[in-house]
């Protein structure tokens, strides 16, 4: 699979985040219902997760459902929730075999009871795994995450647990859903759209962005390797000059 791109194992992103987009268009191309596209996307999830685990990527975050996606037709939302539930159950052995720890970010309270139970059951069963952390962004929106963080911080100020002067990047980071994760190094979006769609606004401040025309159900290990290869050719300057980095 990786014969076309030789990846430098010394320079792998620590945290890859993927906006899995294009399921609906993929299904439409075959004259099928959108839900068929979502179901077909599960295979891409499995392949990507296994490929990242093989590369020993530490953190993989998958944008599976946004706060805005609740506004889709009920039929589609219900289909997505049942695909989520079934896949969690089905993929548990793969997670155990690959030593993967499941995590979630987003407003889990919004999820239907059965889906939430299934999710936290798998999180519990994989909590002692020490390999890759796989985070599902479910009912996730960066703005909602920031609003929740601001409220928590205000509460701490109000109750004299925190001084306004002490609010800094670290304090804000420690109130985000991603408090136990490093920032995203590489954000991939499939399907040709070039936007962030309310994903990891804070955490992707210095991420390298990679866009591909490939629709999510067609995304394979080779496409992941292409994205990482592109990442490895870039110089991450973090505001400095190229000379300073030498
Ligand atoms: C991504 O595919 C999956 C979710 C957003 C849940 P879409 O369903 O957005 O597919 P397109 O963008 O309509 O093709
Ligand atoms: C972003 O995709 C959300 C997920 C991939 C889960 P959308 O398809 O919902 O994004 P927009 O609406 O095209 O920006
Ligand atoms: Mg879309």
């Amino acid at each position: 699979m990786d014969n076309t791109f030789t990846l430098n194992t010394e320079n792998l992103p620590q945290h890859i985040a993927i906006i899995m987009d294009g399921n609906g268009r993929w299904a439409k191309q075959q004259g099928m219902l959108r839900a068929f596209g979502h179901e077909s996307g599960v295979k891409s999830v499995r392949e990507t997760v296994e490929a990242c685990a093989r590369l020993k990527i530490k953190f993989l975050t998958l944008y599976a459902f946004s706060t805005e996606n609740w506004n889709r037709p009920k039929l589609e939302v219900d289909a997505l929730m049942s695909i989520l539930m079934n896949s969690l159950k089905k993929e548990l052995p793969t997670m155990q075999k690959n030593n993967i720890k499941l995590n979630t970010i987003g407003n889990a309270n919004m999820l239907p009871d059965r889906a939430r139970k299934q999710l936290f059951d798998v999180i519990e069963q994989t909590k002692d795994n020490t390999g890759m952390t796989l985070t599902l962004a479910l009912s996730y929106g960066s703005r909602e995450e920031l609003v929740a963080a601001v409220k928590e911080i205000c509460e701490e100020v109000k109750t004299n647990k925190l001084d306004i002067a002490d609010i800094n990047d670290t304090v804000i980071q420690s109130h985000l859903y991603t408090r136990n994760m490093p920032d995203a190094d590489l954000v991939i979006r499939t399907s040709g759209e070039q936007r962030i769609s309310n994903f990891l606004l804070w955490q992707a401040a210095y991420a390298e962005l990679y866009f591909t025309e490939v629709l999510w159900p067609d995304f394979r290990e080779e496409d992941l390797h292409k994205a990482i290869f592109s990442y490895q050719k870039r110089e991450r300057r973090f505001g400095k000059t190229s000379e300073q980095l030498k």
Side-chain angles (χ1 to χ4, degrees):
M1 261 299 195
D2 57 4
N3 37 13
T4 27
F5 311 97
T6 311
L7 297 179
N8 173 6
T9 50
E10 307 282 288
N11 181 26
L12 290 167
Q14 193 186 9
H15 182 180
I16 299 179
I18 308 182
I19 303 174
M20 310 183 289
D21 199 12
N23 296 352
R25 277 162 284 168
W26 186 90
K28 198 172 174 187
Q29 279 175 7
Q30 352 234 328
M32 304 292 278
L33 294 173
R34 295 179 59 85
F36 180 66
H38 299 313
E39 274 181 38
S40 306
V42 175
K43 183 171 179 200
S44 307
V45 171
R46 187 184 311 125
E47 287 217 0
T48 303
V49 168
E50 291 199 288
C52 284
R54 269 195 291 278
L55 287 170
K56 301 204 162 50
I57 301 296
K58 294 271 189 322
F59 296 88
L60 173 65
T61 301
L62 301 176
Y63 202 7
F65 196 89
S66 71
T67 45
E68 289 75 23
N69 288 149
W70 290 114
N71 298 318
R72 292 192 178 192
K74 186 177 182 309
L75 203 66
E76 179 167 349
V77 171
D78 289 350
L80 276 161
M81 291 301 143
S82 78
I83 291 166
L84 165 72
M85 242 172 35
N86 296 334
S87 320
L88 281 168
K89 200 182 290 174
K90 232 173 52 207
E91 302 303 326
L92 180 60
T94 314
M95 289 188 231
Q96 301 295 33
K97 188 186 88 197
N98 290 289
N99 196 19
I100 292 167
K101 186 179 168 139
L102 188 71
N103 175 41
T104 188
I105 54 174
N107 185 354
N109 292 327
M110 288 291 290
L111 300 174
D113 287 350
R114 283 178 53 221
R116 191 178 50 248
K117 281 203 192 91
Q118 185 74 52
L119 176 65
F120 285 102
D121 187 46
V122 176
I123 289 175
E124 174 64 27
Q125 292 193 60
T126 60
K127 73 175 194 307
D128 296 323
N129 289 347
T130 54
M132 182 172 82
T133 299
L134 168 63
T135 301
L136 296 181
L138 285 169
S139 190
Y140 175 85
S142 230
R143 288 187 167 183
E144 191 175 86
E145 175 182 39
L146 288 164
V147 168
V150 168
K151 284 184 180 165
E152 281 179 25
I153 292 169
C154 287
E155 193 60 36
E156 287 177 25
V157 169
K158 201 171 122 188
T159 53
N160 295 317
K161 287 194 195 100
L162 180 67
D163 203 282
I164 289 182
D166 293 331
I167 298 175
N168 57 21
D169 283 22
T170 313
V171 169
I172 293 174
Q173 148 74 12
S174 70
H175 285 84
L176 300 176
Y177 299 136
T178 52
R179 56 183 72 100
N180 298 317
M181 278 188 245
D183 281 352
D185 297 303
L186 170 62
V187 174
I188 299 172
R189 184 170 189 149
T190 58
S191 88
E193 307 299 348
Q194 302 195 0
R195 54 177 173 264
I196 296 294
S197 301
N198 204 10
F199 189 47
L200 305 182
L201 296 182
W202 173 278
Q203 302 87 340
Y206 259 105
E208 295 298 326
L209 308 179
Y210 178 87
F211 301 103
T212 170
E213 294 292 324
V214 174
L215 302 175
W216 180 250
D218 289 329
F219 193 85
R220 291 293 169 267
E221 184 166 25
E222 196 191 351
D223 301 300
L224 174 80
H225 287 189
K226 261 189 213 172
I228 299 175
F229 191 70
S230 163
Y231 168 88
Q232 294 189 330
K233 283 191 301 197
R234 305 181 191 187
E235 181 177 58
R236 302 183 76 192
R237 288 190 285 277
F238 298 98
K240 295 184 178 170
T241 68
S242 197
E243 289 64 37
Q244 284 177 294
L245 299 170
K246 295 289 178 304

